[in-house]
Amino acid sequence: MAKAIEGLFLFSITVLLIYDYFPNVSLKERLTPTILLSLMFGTVVALFLLKSFREYTVKELFKSQLFTLVYLLFLLGVLKLAGGESALGISFSHLGVWVVVIISFLQLVVLWKKLKREREFQ
């Protein structure tokens, strides 16, 4: 269930980034940004609710965060290579993107250390 919700979240981010890089995309009639933002908000709320009922292992959190970070960086690269230009400035040349990447990387390092400690105690 959580994987499906995470998939919906990544799908909505993907489509929003495509809209940002290619504003003339014809999907806007079917999937408006308002619908996608509502979908994102709903998936975030659902993920928070699921996390309150289920505890995730450090390994699951590490895998999920690593996949999300790599996926979003790959997506930004593909959109740039496809000739898109971000209207909001979400690109590799924007400082804010690198701050988020560094924070995510630091979180991954902390999770990796926790995972390593767990393996030592087993």
Side-chain angles (χ1 to χ4, degrees):
M1 178 78 164
K3 296 275 186 204
I5 294 171
E6 287 176 8
L8 280 174
F9 182 73
L10 287 176
F11 170 76
S12 57
I13 287 177
T14 301
V15 176
L16 284 171
L17 281 173
I18 290 171
Y19 285 169
D20 180 44
Y21 272 77
F22 301 100
N24 297 328
V25 172
S26 64
L27 290 174
K28 283 189 179 178
E29 294 84 33
R30 294 188 186 124
L31 289 172
T32 64
T34 306
I35 291 172
L36 289 169
L37 288 172
S38 300
L39 179 65
M40 279 180 60
F41 180 73
T43 57
V44 168
V45 169
L47 284 172
F48 279 122
L49 290 175
L50 280 176
K51 285 185 179 184
S52 67
F53 294 119
R54 178 179 183 265
E55 287 202 28
Y56 290 91
T57 65
V58 176
K59 186 176 182 179
E60 288 174 323
L61 290 172
F62 180 81
K63 282 182 173 181
S64 176
Q65 188 162 347
L66 180 63
F67 175 78
T68 303
L69 179 63
V70 170
Y71 175 77
L72 290 176
L73 290 174
F74 176 76
L75 181 62
L76 289 177
V78 167
L79 291 172
K80 182 68 176 169
L81 288 174
E85 197 66 41
S86 175
L88 298 174
I90 304 171
S91 67
F92 292 118
S93 60
H94 192 266
L95 179 65
V97 170
W98 288 110
V99 169
V100 170
V101 168
I102 290 169
I103 291 170
S104 294
F105 182 74
L106 291 174
Q107 286 177 329
L108 283 171
V109 169
V110 169
L111 287 173
W112 178 255
K113 287 181 180 181
K114 283 182 183 178
L115 189 59
K116 220 172 153 181
R117 255 187 271 131
E118 281 184 2
R119 288 183 183 171
E120 289 174 1
F121 289 118
Q122 290 179 353

